[in-house]
Amino acid sequence: MSEATIREALDAADGISEAETEFTDVEILCIDCHHDFVWTAGEQAFFRDKKLTNPPKRCKPCKKLKNERLAAIERAQETGVRQRIEVAAECARCQSMTTVPFYPSQGRPVYCRACYLEITAAPNGHQPGN
Ligand SMILES: [Zn+2]
Ligand SMILES: [Zn+2]
């Protein structure tokens, strides 16, 4: 098949390719900001080309922020310098959004300042000086 023939075949297929597109834009709920974002057909094709099987969990701004956080943590580990970081997280007690100065690990509850103070100040059954 000559190159010209291929081109003609592609041109002929052009009219029906729209209906045959295997990807369509999908809306995904961002796990960080809890807003829907569009995972476009083009991005899905890109994911498939890269052999990525899991759809993105974060919108682009949140993904960028996450990458920046990770980069900051890596830099801190490399240099041994503790950098001040602020990570957005949902309080496990009152469900309000808060920021914490560390990157929360999976499964570990994160509390906002108010809840944290309440929890740490709460009497735990032992009287001081007993
Ligand atoms: Zn987001
Ligand atoms: Zn809270």
Side-chain angles (χ1 to χ4, degrees):
M1 203 186 256
S2 76
E3 207 179 314
T5 319
I6 296 170
R7 192 167 291 277
E8 273 168 27
L10 285 174
D11 283 346
D14 224 30
I16 54 166
S17 64
E18 197 83 39
E20 285 186 343
T21 306
E22 62 184 298
F23 298 112
T24 50
D25 291 3
V26 289
E27 287 204 341
I28 297 179
L29 191 68
C30 172
I31 62 164
D32 276 3
C33 69
H34 305 279
H35 286 109
D36 284 331
F37 67 95
V38 175
W39 189 28
T40 65
E43 284 163 344
Q44 292 169 51
F46 175 81
F47 264 59
R48 191 193 57 180
D49 287 349
K50 295 282 176 194
K51 304 238 183 323
L52 298 168
T53 49
N54 295 321
K57 297 192 192 74
R58 290 174 181 83
C59 65
K60 278 178 183 159
C62 287
K63 192 177 166 193
K64 187 165 172 283
L65 283 174
K66 187 204 167 211
N67 288 339
E68 284 170 3
R69 288 200 299 261
L70 291 177
I73 290 166
E74 264 175 38
R75 268 201 307 277
Q77 283 170 347
E78 278 170 18
T79 57
V81 177
R82 267 185 92 95
Q83 301 216 358
R84 225 191 122 71
I85 54 166
E86 279 214 335
V87 180
E90 192 182 49
C91 174
R93 194 156 169 266
C94 69
Q95 271 80 50
S96 67
M97 288 306 286
T98 183
T99 56
V100 290
F102 57 88
Y103 198 70
S105 51
Q106 288 271 311
R108 199 165 129 217
V110 167
Y111 301 106
C112 67
R113 177 167 283 270
C115 289
Y116 180 77
L117 289 177
E118 266 185 54
I119 288 164
T120 52
N124 57 9
H126 292 282
Q127 294 297 320
N130 189 19

